[in-house]
Amino acid sequence: MPFPHSRMRRLRLHPAVREMVAETRLSPADFMLPLFVVPGKGVTESVASMPGVSRMSADRVALEAREAFSEGIKGVLLFGAPSKKDERGSEASSADGCVQRAVAEIKEKVPDIAVFTDVCLCAYTSHGHCGVLAANRKDVDNDATLKILAQAASSHAKAGADFVAPSDMMDGRVDAIRQKLDEDGFENTGIMAYSAKYASAFYGPFRDAAHSTPEFGDRRGYQMNPANAREALAEIAQDIEEGADIVMVKPALAYLDVIRAARDVFDAPLAAYNVSGEFAMLKAAAERGWLDGDRAMMETLLSIRRAGADIVITYFAKDAARILNR
Ligand code: PBG
């Protein structure tokens, strides 16, 4: 019935009723915290473009994971920032690489938190691309990269990772990783695939943090064109078919429509990555007093959940969890 019988505002007047009729809620269990791991011991180096975020050695990363878990966060996502790089990213599957060591350390000190590891070569290759270079040295060699990624994934599983998360966007990597994990006896290690990962300007601060800026060219030959949404659904369908347990849309904010479309089509658990640039721009505006940082953070995270994501991967995880736990 139209106004004046119907008054939408009745549901908004009492704070308790407002809360009761909320369609979307946030909980610390929705968040996954990304962490950057460097070699060594007792190392914490802040990342200038990401206030409050640091690169840490395995021992410090374990402390951070413990703190996150005590705030109700159930998972961390590890990224390596190694000191050794070469053409083929060999260090990515080294048994005592920084990520492998951090996984073992977290498993020992915080056994109840789920450990996810990013699988990609960009931080491990001297040229900064996500795969090994093709003979023309312009493109990446998709199929040659698959073996190296599968090897890296298996080394993470061996160190104790619960899930591996390929972010390279090579074709066929989920299948290659699944096969290798099964072959090596890691049939219970899951795969969270960065299925619809766009070639985005919003990764800038991350590349500072992980030292993974490509030395030449860009990633548009493998990451998705921001213009495409139907293609994202095809990517996700393919990853599910290849054996992905969790699929992802990344970045989150400029792609909320893609998250919604994916949610409507697929039943697989859906993650969305609230990426470094999305974090940095909010932090920068809040630092200048141009907006209320905490409120903008909570509204942003809520929007990603409302769009349909089950898991929100975010550098805000601890801050947001603290607010929710108050
Ligand atoms: C590695 C990778 C990137 C991010 C996650 N994994 C960077 C890139 O593709 O250049 C970005 C995460 C962020 O910006 O927070 N391929």
Side-chain angles (χ1 to χ4, degrees):
M1 271 208 272
F3 175 83
H5 305 283
S6 154
R7 288 180 183 269
M8 300 296 280
R9 291 183 51 228
R10 282 184 204 120
L11 291 172
R12 296 177 202 145
L13 291 174
H14 197 301
V17 175
R18 255 191 334 252
E19 185 92 356
M20 265 181 240
V21 301
E23 297 174 30
T24 312
R25 286 173 219 280
L26 286 174
S27 141
D30 302 330
F31 308 139
M32 184 178 296
L33 176 68
L35 294 169
F36 298 102
V37 197
V38 291
K41 223 181 154 183
V43 185
T44 301
E45 311 164 348
S46 54
V47 178
S49 51
M50 300 175 73
V53 174
S54 304
R55 280 182 293 262
M56 286 169 288
S57 49
D59 54 324
R60 296 283 172 91
V61 160
L63 295 178
E64 190 74 8
R66 172 177 293 158
E67 219 179 286
F69 191 73
S70 74
E71 296 287 352
I73 294 160
K74 306 294 182 196
V76 290
L77 176 59
L78 304 184
F79 292 92
S83 47
K84 283 184 226 154
K85 299 184 192 239
D86 62 26
E87 275 279 310
R88 303 180 59 80
S90 328
E91 178 67 12
S93 32
S94 153
D96 66 8
C98 47
V99 167
Q100 290 83 351
R101 289 190 40 213
V103 171
E105 192 120 356
I106 296 171
K107 280 287 147 190
E108 191 194 313
K109 300 206 169 117
V110 202
D112 294 328
I113 202 163
V115 180
F116 289 60
T117 56
D118 186 84
V119 175
C120 192
L121 300 184
C122 59
Y124 295 87
T125 51
S126 42
H127 43 76
H129 278 286
C130 302
V132 291
L133 296 184
N136 66 12
R137 300 191 56 81
K138 283 188 183 134
D139 189 15
V140 290
D141 183 337
N142 189 95
D143 300 11
T145 301
L146 297 183
K147 278 192 207 72
I148 306 176
L149 292 169
Q151 195 69 46
S154 178
S155 77
H156 294 176
K158 189 168 182 202
D162 298 290
F163 271 74
V164 294
S167 68
D168 52 284
M169 287 303 278
M170 298 301 123
D171 284 318
R173 87 265 214 227
V174 174
D175 180 56
I177 290 173
R178 185 69 271 158
Q179 278 192 39
K180 174 75 173 152
L181 290 175
D182 288 358
E183 228 173 80
D184 292 352
F186 303 118
E187 64 279 352
N188 292 323
T189 306
I191 299 177
M192 175 171 77
Y194 288 70
S195 305
K197 176 175 177 180
Y198 288 89
S200 171
F202 290 99
Y203 305 150
F206 173 96
R207 292 180 188 174
D208 282 349
H211 299 137
S212 64
T213 308
E215 206 174 61
F216 60 88
D218 53 46
R219 305 209 201 289
R220 282 184 276 199
Y222 37 102
Q223 298 179 347
M224 282 184 58
N225 183 345
N228 297 351
R230 293 191 302 269
E231 188 187 349
L233 301 182
E235 281 280 8
I236 294 170
Q238 208 168 81
D239 281 359
I240 292 173
E241 201 156 307
E242 288 181 29
D245 303 284
I246 302 174
V247 292
M248 193 199 301
V249 173
K250 176 188 173 184
L253 293 184
Y255 301 87
L256 292 173
D257 58 322
V258 178
I259 297 173
R260 169 47 53 194
R263 171 74 304 148
D264 288 345
V265 174
F266 301 105
D267 292 325
L270 178 63
Y273 201 139
N274 177 215
V275 300
S276 59
E278 299 172 339
F279 173 81
M281 63 187 182
L282 255 184
K283 283 282 185 192
E287 255 174 36
R288 294 184 178 200
W290 288 354
L291 44 76
D292 177 330
D294 283 352
R295 286 192 55 205
M297 166 178 76
M298 298 314 275
E299 188 175 331
T300 293
L301 297 171
L302 192 68
S303 77
I304 298 168
R305 289 273 297 145
R306 194 188 63 238
D310 300 302
I311 302 167
V312 184
I313 303 167
T314 179
Y315 305 98
F316 287 121
K318 274 190 357 187
D319 289 347
R322 272 194 205 108
I323 289 178
L324 292 168
N325 291 334
R326 266 211 299 260

